[in-house]
Amino acid sequence: MLENVLEVGERPEDLVVYASLGKAARDWPAYHAIVAALRELEEDQTLVLQTGRPIGVLRTHAHAPMVVSAVNNTVGRWATEERFYQRMRDGQTIWGGLTAAAWQYIGRQGVLAGTYELLREVLRRDFAATSGEGRWLLTAGLGGMGSAQPISARMLGLSSLVVEADPAKIEKSRAAGGVDAVAATLDEALALVRAGTNTAVALLGNASTVFAEIAAGVVTPDIVSDQTAAHDALYGYLPEGLTPAEWHELREKDPEQVQDRARRSMARQVNAMLTLADRGAVAFENGNNLRVQVESLVPGADRIPGFMPAYLRPLFCRGIGPFRWVALSGSEQDLSVTDELAATLFPERPEVAEWIKLARDQIPPQGLPARSCWLGHGERSRLAVAVNQAVRAGRISAPVLFSRDHLDSAGMTHPRIGTEGMRDGSDGVTDWPLLDAMLLSAAGADLVAVHSGGGGYAGWMQSAGVSVVADGSLAAESRLRLALDLDSGLGVLRHATAGYPEAEAALSPDLTFLAKENDDA
Ligand code: NAD
């Protein structure tokens, strides 16, 4: 998985997996030392990683995690962007992303499934529709995550116009079948997406400039969002008036000027989004902290809702979130067996089988064969145990790894992403991912990671990640059942504790909920 995150990552030569800075390991010597330690690791040992470098191998027991990892966790007062960048430049820290340093990234499919679920909810709630036919989405960014946007929109019949500043990213997306057409001008782009033919169009330009031009015109998209790496004003968002080459040069020479210019450009983009919202477009922020960056520049930016409270929280209440698995053999046939199991095990939720079919038909392969699929409490362990049995029976040729994004029901605290607007005001409380990691270690998950935010996310997030390998053994079956049920179960309890009736309704007999009684007392 360590090799795989680099194979599917954005800049493997720098160990960068996604989101501008999210790294798989501290540096290349650390990478090689990790690989050497993993090759020698005995069954009753655990490799300890600290911010992307191996610290030691400790004697534990055969059912303990193989790897425990903590990345960039920093006391509150020190968790600032400035201190992070200084320590990063001195080689003392990295940002681990959510799944980069935990070796759980599977390429664009992870975010693709999430974007699909999100856009499906937008269509359902705002347009009372199951298909986006005849509608179009305006957005920006074709990076590691953003390149999922046009594909998931197309899966739902929705046309899209994606503004991207880097021609190489546009070409990469076009070559991978992400965008169907590259428009030469804004007029051409608008004509293509308004033709009603479910088309994904890319336009080279700065999101700030192009969004403002659209807002100044008469055409209004049905949906407007953004997925530039706006969370990082220094490394993630190209300021207007600079070429990418000038940007790279200036941020070394004058980082403050770059941040200031980037935030002013973002403000122009957000103002355009507000204008389009006033004209009837559905606007939301898609997890990139865009609104936070312009807080002091754009009064009313918070009229744009975050995607989690607006659309996805009811799913998290039921423990439904971005689950994933990877066929470690590299065999597409192994992935097919897991897909068939997922498509048949949950007839009460036909959307699971629908997604599996769409994913099989439309997601270009990337790295090891993998599937992202939003499953909930109890569903994840059912599937994993069935897959483990298929490995044991030889119907799958090698072990399968089960994991998830950190942005999950229990695994994430980020008051502008996963936990924005929690009903009990617990938006910034990091107890939940920490409890989650403790439970996952107790369950004997194979890798348990605790990450904190870096770069523009410094001081903004805490997350827990988990991977468990189904190797066909009975011991693996027990680890899978325990770890996956504890993880999603804690997510349901967290949301029930916060007062969500959907979570209380999802409490299953294996979950004893005590917080309500305490509150009543
Ligand atoms: P990335 O750094 O790989 O890509 C960002 C892209 O934006 C690049 O291709 C860059 O050229 C382009 N860009 C930057 N400034 C631009 C501008 N002014 N105009 C047009 N294009 C511009 O980042 P990524 O991995 O794609 O992630 C994008 C953002 O989404 C990040 O902030 C990330 O944290 C966030 N994210 C959110 C979720 C979620 O919760 N929904 C999930 C994953 C990532």
Side-chain angles (χ1 to χ4, degrees), residues 264-279:
R264 277 189 284 124
S265 301
M266 288 180 209
R268 192 159 178 237
Q269 186 184 349
V270 171
N271 274 318
M273 291 171 74
L274 288 169
T275 303
L276 295 172
D278 289 339
R279 294 217 300 259

Side-chain angles (χ1 to χ4, degrees), residues 119 122-138 153-154 156-161 190 192-200 220-224 280-282:
L119 292 174
V122 174
L123 291 173
R124 193 176 68 81
R125 288 202 195 194
D126 293 312
F127 300 96
T130 52
S131 155
E133 209 182 317
R135 302 185 199 280
W136 66 283
L137 158 76
L138 169 65
R154 185 168 49 219
L156 288 155
L158 186 67
S159 291
S160 59
L161 166 52
L190 291 176
L192 283 167
V193 288
R194 297 175 77 207
T197 50
N198 190 11
T199 308
T220 305
D222 297 285
I223 306 169
V224 60
V282 170

